[in-house]
């Protein structure tokens, strides 16, 4: 195949099979980099079949997604690469890769904002990218596909990618390049829950009945509970949950204890933190979406429920709370610390005891 760049910025290609309709383009941009658009037209040639003419016009390069279109004889071109582009949008290149950046573990993170709009182009670029990254000694590849690009999921799976995790707006897939088992970190393995032990000045504990519960808990009264949100602290999350379920304002005191259980929901493990809080209000306003009823119950009556006495974890939890009220036990207070490990502030939970009185500082 012969390629000739004319002064009029048109490309002539001879010795091409009439029905193949593909073209090889080499360095059709200036040294500064750029992209362009090529329009192809077939013209009859008496000597050697069809004569393929391609006109080229340069445009400013952008990091946004590029339309690689196989229809209407139109496709995009970029710099420093040799591409073979078929009319169905397929691209073959040893150096063309998806827009990406390196992570700190010799891996690659694909830029989700610069994904090709054509699925055939994406498939071709994905394979050439994997070959390129393998030659460079890269290890793991992270591919984040937004919900609106879900048509690319089967293409990635067919290319060897595996599901890692999903959120409301995207699916994350991974690919491990080296031989042997993948060393990429697994998806989050735990969910985090909180329960609030709130006592008022009448020695009454705040309790709820949930609308949706297992038959064993029907009619029983329990502590308000809920899940911690993403990027939410334990001590703010438990205050929020109590407010949402009961309308009661509280002040966090301490983490009293926590439970670690496995295979709780969708084969995930569960960390459940029991917290002690002070009540700052008394008027209950029930969240009628999740909660059947809520009230202030005398502590003694709450403890004597069969639901509490017949359950080892509930009974032990209340024993610890009572010991804390009697100052025979100290819980954990959050302290803000900064670590060089992640460069940010985080909460370290530990207890502080006054040496002279042996009393906990939290209550």
């Amino acid at each position: 195949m012969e390629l000739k760049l004319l002064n009029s910025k048109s490309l002539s290609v001879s010795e091409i099979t009439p029905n193949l309709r593909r073209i090889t383009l080499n360095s059709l941009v200036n040294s500064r980099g750029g992209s362009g658009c090529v329009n192809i037209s077939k013209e009859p040639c008496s000597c050697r079949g069809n004569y393929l003419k391609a006109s080229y016009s340069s445009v400013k390069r952008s990091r946004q997604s590029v339309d690689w279109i196989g229809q209407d004889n139109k496709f995009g071109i970029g710099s420093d690469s040799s591409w073979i582009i078929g009319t169905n949008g397929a691209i073959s290149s040893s150096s063309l890769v998806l827009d990406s950046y390196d992570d700190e573990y010799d891996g690659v993170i694909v830029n989700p904002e610069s994904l090709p709009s054509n699925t055939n182009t994406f498939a071709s670029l994905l394979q050439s990218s994997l070959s390129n990254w393998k030659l460079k000694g890269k290890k793991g590849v992270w591919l984040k596909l937004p919900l609106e690009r879900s048509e690319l999921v089967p293409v990635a799976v067919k290319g060897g990618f595996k599901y890692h995790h999903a959120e409301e707006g995207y699916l994350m897939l991974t690919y491990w390049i080296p031989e042997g088992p993948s060393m990429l970190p697994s998806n989050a393995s735990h969910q985090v829950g909180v329960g609030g032990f709130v006592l008022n000045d009448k020695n009454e504990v705040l309790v709820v009945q949930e609308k949706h519960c297992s038959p064993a808990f029907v009619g029983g009264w329990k502590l308000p509970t809920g899940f911690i949100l993403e990027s939410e602290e334990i001590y703010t999350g438990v205050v929020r949950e109590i407010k949402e379920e009961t309308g009661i304002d509280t002040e966090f005191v301490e983490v009293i204890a926590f439970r670690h259980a496995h295979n709780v929901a969708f084969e995930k493990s569960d960390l459940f933190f029991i917290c002690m809080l002070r009540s700052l209000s008394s008027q209950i306003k029930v969240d009628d979406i999740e909660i059947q009823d809520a009230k202030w119950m005398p502590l003694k009556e709450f403890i004597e429920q069969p639901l509490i006495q017949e359950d080892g974890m509930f009974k032990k939890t209340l024993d610890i709370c009572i010991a804390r009220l009697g100052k025979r036990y100290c819980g954990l207070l959050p302290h803000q610390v900064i670590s060089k490990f992640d460069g940010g502030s985080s909460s370290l939970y530990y207890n502080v005891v006054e040496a002279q009185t042996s009393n906990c500082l939290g209550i």
Side-chain angles (χ1 to χ4, degrees):
M1 180 178 291
E2 178 184 341
L3 178 65
K4 185 180 296 183
L5 182 61
L6 304 180
N7 293 333
S8 61
K9 289 191 175 180
S10 65
L11 301 177
S12 300
V13 180
S14 60
E15 299 181 357
I16 185 168
T17 304
N19 296 324
L20 184 57
R21 299 188 67 192
R22 70 177 187 176
I23 183 169
T24 301
L25 304 179
N26 291 295
S27 303
L28 286 179
V29 292
N30 58 34
S31 58
R32 295 182 181 178
S35 64
C37 181
V38 176
N39 292 287
I40 302 175
S41 62
K42 284 196 305 182
E43 298 179 3
C45 177
S46 59
C47 56
R48 308 186 100 171
N50 287 331
Y51 178 81
L52 188 63
K53 183 177 180 180
S55 62
Y56 165 71
S57 61
S58 63
V59 296
K60 184 177 179 181
R61 187 173 183 179
S62 171
R63 294 185 63 83
Q64 300 299 318
S65 177
V66 179
D67 280 334
W68 303 95
I69 306 174
Q71 291 76 26
D72 300 326
N73 299 323
K74 189 176 182 181
F75 52 84
I77 64 174
S79 62
D80 302 327
S81 297
S82 175
W83 311 345
I84 301 176
I85 310 180
T87 55
N88 64 350
I91 296 180
S92 175
S93 171
S94 60
S95 60
L96 188 61
V97 297
L98 291 166
D99 185 22
S100 63
Y101 55 94
D102 296 343
D103 64 19
E104 56 185 314
Y105 304 103
D106 290 329
V108 176
I109 300 173
V110 177
N111 184 357
E113 298 180 358
S114 299
L115 296 169
S117 61
N118 182 282
T119 55
N120 290 327
T121 302
F122 174 72
S124 299
L125 286 176
L126 192 61
Q127 290 307 309
S128 62
S129 297
L130 290 173
S131 299
N132 181 282
W133 295 328
K134 185 175 182 180
L135 289 174
K136 290 183 177 180
K138 298 301 180 181
K139 296 179 180 177
V141 181
W142 297 87
L143 176 61
K144 181 180 180 180
L145 296 180
L147 183 64
E148 60 271 17
R149 303 308 313 277
S150 59
E151 77 278 4
L152 301 181
V153 174
V155 178
V157 172
K158 186 177 180 180
F161 279 75
K162 298 181 182 298
Y163 292 164
H164 187 268
H165 69 273
E167 294 291 344
E168 184 175 344
Y170 73 87
L171 173 67
M172 182 69 78
L173 299 98
T174 61
Y175 187 98
W176 184 248
I177 297 175
E179 296 291 337
S182 173
M183 300 300 291
L184 293 173
S186 300
N187 182 28
S189 59
H190 287 68
Q191 61 182 16
V192 180
V194 288
F197 181 84
V198 185
L199 204 66
N200 64 14
D201 54 6
K202 298 178 182 179
N203 207 36
E204 296 172 326
V205 62
L206 181 63
V207 295
V208 300
Q209 286 182 337
E210 294 183 339
K211 282 190 173 182
H212 310 286
C213 60
S214 64
F217 297 118
V218 173
W221 295 91
K222 59 183 282 293
L223 300 178
T225 61
F227 289 106
I228 294 296
L229 303 178
E230 185 176 355
S231 300
E232 186 177 41
E233 296 282 357
I234 293 171
Y235 58 86
T236 57
V238 68
V239 170
R240 174 189 54 77
E241 280 290 347
I242 292 171
K243 177 69 173 179
E244 290 177 356
E245 291 190 356
T246 68
I248 297 296
D249 295 311
T250 59
E251 179 186 8
F252 176 86
V253 177
E254 292 173 344
V255 170
I256 297 299
F258 69 89
R259 180 210 64 178
H260 192 199
H262 305 287
N263 295 318
V264 175
F266 301 105
E267 302 179 357
K268 298 296 182 181
S269 297
D270 181 89
L271 283 170
F272 181 72
F273 292 85
I274 299 98
C275 305
M276 181 169 285
L277 303 98
R278 296 187 186 93
S279 62
L280 301 178
S281 63
S282 58
Q283 187 66 40
I284 292 175
K285 184 179 179 180
V286 174
D287 171 21
D288 56 8
I289 297 178
E290 297 183 41
I291 304 301
Q292 182 68 36
D293 199 2
K295 68 178 182 178
W296 292 102
M297 177 182 279
L299 178 59
K300 186 175 185 296
E301 181 182 344
F302 176 62
I303 295 173
E304 291 176 348
Q305 288 185 104
L307 174 65
I308 302 298
Q309 292 299 315
E310 297 173 4
D311 188 285
M313 189 196 72
F314 289 163
K315 187 175 185 301
K316 186 62 179 178
T317 298
L318 267 296
D319 288 344
I320 295 172
C321 290
I322 293 172
R324 179 65 187 91
L325 292 174
K327 298 184 178 181
R328 304 188 308 274
Y329 177 90
C330 290
L332 305 176
L333 281 166
H335 301 266
Q336 296 303 307
V337 295
I338 297 177
S339 171
K340 291 182 179 180
F341 179 76
D342 54 17
S345 177
S346 58
S347 299
L348 182 64
Y349 286 77
Y350 58 90
N351 60 32
V352 177
V353 179
E354 291 181 334
Q356 297 174 342
T357 62
S358 296
N359 288 332
C360 300
L361 298 181
I363 192 170

